[in-house]
Every structure is written in C-alpha cells, then in structure tokens.
Amino acid sequence: GQNIDQPTEMTATEGAIVQINCTYQTSGFNGLFWYQQHAGEAPTFLSYNVLDGLEEKGRFSSFLSRSKGYSYLLLKELQMKDSASYLCAVMDSNYQLIWGAGTKLIIKP
Amino acid sequence: IAGITQAPTSQILAAGRRMTLRCTQDMRHNAMYWYRQDLGLGLRLIHYSNTAGTTGKGEVPDGYSVSRANTDDFPLTLASAVPSQTSVYFCASSEVSGGSTDTQYFGPGTRLTVL
C-alpha cells in the first residue's frame, strides 16, 4: 500500500527554526509537495521537489532524498502566523497526489 | 478575481437527502478534483476529471458522483447522504494532469454535516 508519515503535532518558539519530516512509500514517484493549511481554511501550495536536494524559498526550505523516501520542510525565523498544519503529498505513478495526515505546528511566543 | 469558488460554505443535511456541492474555477485549468478531509486523516481523493467531458474515480468514490460538462464547473453529488459523509469537502484544480509540476489549487471548502 501507499503511505505518507509525518508527525501529528510539533511545538516551536517564535523566532526559532523547526524541521517537519515526511517519509513516504508510494507506487512510483513524480514529485513531492508541501502545503500549508491554516485552521478552517484551504491548503495553499508551499513547495515542490522532484530532484534530490534542497529548495529554498525565503524563510521556507524543502529537502528531498528519493533513495531514502524522505523529505523535510524547514521553517526559519518562525512567526506566529506560521501556526498551521503542514501537509506532505507525493505524486504517484498515476500522477495522483497521496496525502499525509498533516503536522499541526504550534508556535509559542 | 481568479480562483476557485465552492458553494455552499456549509450545510446540515438529513440522512437520505440528495445534495450537490458546487465548484467553479476561472483559471481555465484542465484538471479538477474533489477531496474530503477528515480529522486525523490525509486528504482523500473522491473523483477527478482530467479534462472537460471525462471523469475518474479516486480513492473513496462510493456514494458520490461527478460530472464535467465544461472546463469551469465540477459539481459533486451525494445521491442519498449518510452520516459517514460528514466531512469538509475541497475542490481543487490544476493546469494539467500528468505533469510533474502539476500544482493543485484549492477552493475554500464546504463543511457538510449529515444527521
């Protein structure tokens, strides 16, 4: 079966750095996506990785290791508005997205 | 304003009733999707459409039907609602289907409660 694993909840302090991990086992791989979802709102696109390595986009970076079936999302200089759920999704061999359950990130002052 | 709209925002429905959730996009995207999101679970694909006139079944299609008469609209119908269909429903669209950079954009969601 196909499986995406990420921690259920994490807590971090404003101004700090946090790393949210995602491991996956899917039938095929056509890229990995990270989305942000604030409570009661729709998911919004953050990043996409298809090649191994780090993609940096402002305060957010995403890393992929295809051989390990592993990705992480790195958030720097945390702000209170970063409190949200972060969803990891893998595009499988049928070009359909398989979604993790999401990591709820709580930012404390 | 470009994007995806969904209606209604929320709905309480008696079991056994028929309900259609509406979704419209104005980005001229080829592909559209319906997901449900339940607490503790990832988004689950109900149905999708790669282009107008075609539809396909996702992971959890039972009890739901869709149509894609044109590019912009992708309604989701519950023929006879059951309490297990209580969920938040998201419609999404993407420019192409099958492309590796196929980013999906989501509507605001419909919160449905079936009693």
Side-chain angles (χ1 to χ4, degrees):
Chain A
Q2 307 201 90
N3 196 49
I4 310 285
D5 285 319
Q6 45 181 138
T8 302
E9 187 175 296
M10 299 181 70
T11 302
T13 305
E14 189 177 17
I17 300 173
V18 71
Q19 177 176 311
I20 302 173
N21 296 325
C22 171
T23 58
Y24 63 90
Q25 289 179 309
T26 56
S27 57
F29 180 86
N30 282 300
L32 185 144
F33 294 80
W34 284 97
Y35 280 75
Q36 181 189 60
Q37 185 177 24
H38 286 101
E41 298 183 7
T44 56
F45 170 74
L46 284 178
S47 68
Y48 168 79
N49 295 68
V50 68
L51 300 175
D52 286 357
L54 188 69
E55 294 279 344
E56 296 186 79
K57 192 183 292 185
R59 293 189 300 114
F60 292 8
S61 303
S62 55
F63 171 83
L64 175 67
S65 169
R66 294 187 59 171
S67 62
K68 295 182 179 179
Y70 168 71
S71 173
Y72 67 74
L73 181 70
L74 191 71
L75 291 72
K76 303 176 185 176
E77 301 169 15
L78 286 170
Q79 302 176 10
M80 297 304 293
K81 67 179 182 179
D82 297 330
S83 291
S85 289
Y86 291 85
L87 314 181
C88 174
V90 172
M91 185 165 281
D92 69 8
S93 57
N94 294 318
Y95 292 95
Q96 290 191 357
L97 282 180
I98 309 301
W99 295 82
T103 299
K104 183 178 180 180
L105 178 63
I106 300 168
I107 310 296
K108 295 186 175 180
Chain B
I1 299 176
I4 303 179
T5 58
Q6 293 184 235
T9 302
S10 64
Q11 181 76 43
I12 299 174
L13 189 66
R17 298 296 295 269
R18 181 184 179 90
M19 175 74 190
T20 296
L21 308 185
R22 300 184 298 278
C23 175
T24 300
Q25 55 104 358
D26 63 3
M27 297 178 283
R28 307 305 293 173
H29 283 174
N30 288 313
M32 297 187 75
Y33 314 84
W34 274 106
Y35 291 95
R36 59 178 290 173
Q37 187 175 41
D38 302 291
L39 197 63
L41 299 176
L43 288 161
R44 292 183 292 170
L45 183 65
I46 304 170
H47 284 286
Y48 65 94
S49 169
N50 290 335
T51 189
T54 69
T55 62
K57 294 182 180 180
E59 179 186 357
V60 288
D62 294 344
Y64 305 95
S65 63
V66 292
S67 62
R68 186 90 184 275
N70 57 61
T71 297
D72 299 343
D73 301 300
F74 191 43
L76 176 74
T77 297
L78 289 68
S80 179
V82 295
S84 62
Q85 291 177 313
T86 294
S87 187
V88 180
Y89 291 86
F90 286 104
C91 179
S93 72
S94 63
E95 188 169 350
V96 297
S97 177
S100 57
T101 55
D102 192 10
T103 299
Q104 294 184 14
Y105 298 91
F106 286 79
T110 293
R111 185 174 297 274
L112 181 67
T113 302
V114 183
L115 301 175

